[in-house]
Amino acid sequence: MIRIFLCFLVGFIPSSFGSALDVYIAEYPPFQVIDNKNGHTGFSVELFKEVLDLTDIDANIIAVPWVRALEFVTQQSNSLLFAMAKTPERDKLYTWVDTIYMVNEGVFARKDRTDIHIDSLEDVHQYSIALPRGDVSVSTLNISSQPSEDVYIVEHQEQCIRMLAINRVELNYNNDVGFFNAVKSYGLEASQFKQVYITKRTELGIAANKNMDAKIIAKIREALKTLKQNGVYHNLKLKWFATN
């Protein structure tokens, strides 16, 4: 059984619903599209629902801000979240369940800003940038998590992209899939932006609490393996990314 919750209340910490697995997601199109009225969707959400259909796992899918999702999964043994970028720092905090997609992480700017030149991570520090709170970009770019004159730490990636669109900031850090799909969903033109520097090829996937039952993790991994073999995974990629 799948239950869907939208939990954006400040200070609210969802409790475990019986023995059900708590699955935390945050708005991040096309991977997670939060829709409390019609049901959450997106590539990773639909993929995980297919996983549940192949297993006997009972789950609550709970939409919260990204920082809350990270906190909740470190606190609750029967919980996981997606889609998270895999990093050595996060490997210490969470159990990596499986990779569901590969992306090119990097720095984005407006295409008309021909004065911006990024040849290394150090060059990023010459420009103003907007980053989501709790995002992996803060550590990747070696930027202080505290706001400053040139660093804007905001709650959502949408704020970062809109600030970039109106020249409020000069840069945003994202991955190629997430950035351009978000731009489209916000009603902006993808042709207005460019990826000016690629930092790395990154795994996005499912991460669980360190004390998650190993049997549940094994069931999820086996189900994902089946979905990649039977064509369901490929069809979802075509649907959400229009790519082979």
Side-chain angles (χ1 to χ4, degrees):
M1 180 185 296
I2 305 172
R3 305 180 188 88
I4 297 178
F5 300 87
L6 184 64
C7 305
F8 282 123
L9 298 179
V10 176
F12 176 73
I13 301 179
S15 59
S16 182
F17 297 85
S19 59
L21 175 67
D22 286 342
V23 178
Y24 293 102
I25 61 173
E27 180 78 21
Y28 190 40
F31 297 98
Q32 293 96 233
V33 179
I34 306 304
D35 187 340
N36 195 42
K37 182 178 180 180
N38 300 308
H40 311 318
T41 186
F43 171 74
S44 55
V45 175
E46 290 194 10
L47 181 63
F48 196 77
K49 288 179 180 178
E50 293 285 350
V51 167
L52 296 178
D53 286 343
L54 291 178
T55 66
D56 59 355
I57 298 172
D58 186 15
N60 311 304
I61 297 181
I62 308 169
V64 296
W66 182 242
V67 174
R68 293 294 182 86
L70 294 172
E71 292 175 354
F72 293 157
V73 176
T74 59
Q75 297 166 2
Q76 297 175 236
S77 59
N78 198 34
S79 64
L80 58 78
L81 79 165
F82 53 77
M84 187 173 82
K86 192 176 191 295
T87 69
E89 294 78 16
R90 286 174 170 174
D91 281 342
K92 299 174 184 177
L93 300 173
Y94 309 93
T95 295
W96 189 254
V97 179
D98 209 347
T99 300
I100 61 173
Y101 208 81
M102 298 292 295
V103 294
N104 293 315
E105 281 190 42
V107 182
F108 293 82
R110 285 174 52 115
K111 190 172 288 186
D112 59 3
R113 290 297 302 270
T114 58
D115 58 316
I116 295 176
H117 304 285
I118 307 292
D119 297 312
S120 69
L121 289 179
E122 287 302 313
D123 292 340
V124 174
H125 295 256
Q126 301 175 31
Y127 305 96
S128 60
I129 189 168
L131 303 170
R133 191 179 309 279
D135 191 70
V136 66
S137 55
V138 175
S139 59
T140 299
L141 299 174
N142 193 27
I143 287 178
S144 171
S145 60
Q146 298 302 314
S148 68
E149 183 178 347
D150 293 320
V151 179
Y152 295 81
I153 305 297
V154 298
E155 293 303 318
H156 305 292
Q157 187 64 260
E158 178 178 358
Q159 293 171 267
C160 298
I161 294 175
R162 293 195 182 281
M163 290 172 72
L164 183 65
I166 63 173
N167 268 324
R168 176 77 180 277
V169 295
E170 296 164 302
L171 302 175
N172 173 232
Y173 191 91
N174 207 320
N175 68 70
D176 50 354
V177 175
F179 181 86
F180 286 112
N181 277 274
V183 163
K184 182 180 178 180
S185 70
Y186 302 151
L188 302 171
E189 292 294 330
S191 59
Q192 294 179 318
F193 306 93
K194 59 184 177 181
Q195 189 170 31
V196 294
Y197 184 72
I198 296 176
T199 58
K200 57 185 175 180
R201 186 104 168 125
T202 300
E203 297 175 66
L204 292 186
I206 302 170
N209 179 277
K210 278 291 187 180
N211 297 315
M212 169 73 77
D213 187 336
K215 293 180 180 178
I216 294 178
I217 293 177
K219 289 179 181 180
I220 295 172
R221 287 173 176 164
E222 186 61 31
L224 286 169
K225 181 179 178 180
T226 298
L227 293 171
K228 291 176 181 179
Q229 292 174 338
N230 66 14
V232 171
Y233 174 84
H234 177 72
N235 290 335
L236 286 175
K237 282 181 65 178
L238 290 176
K239 174 182 177 179
W240 289 99
F241 305 110
T243 181
N244 294 318

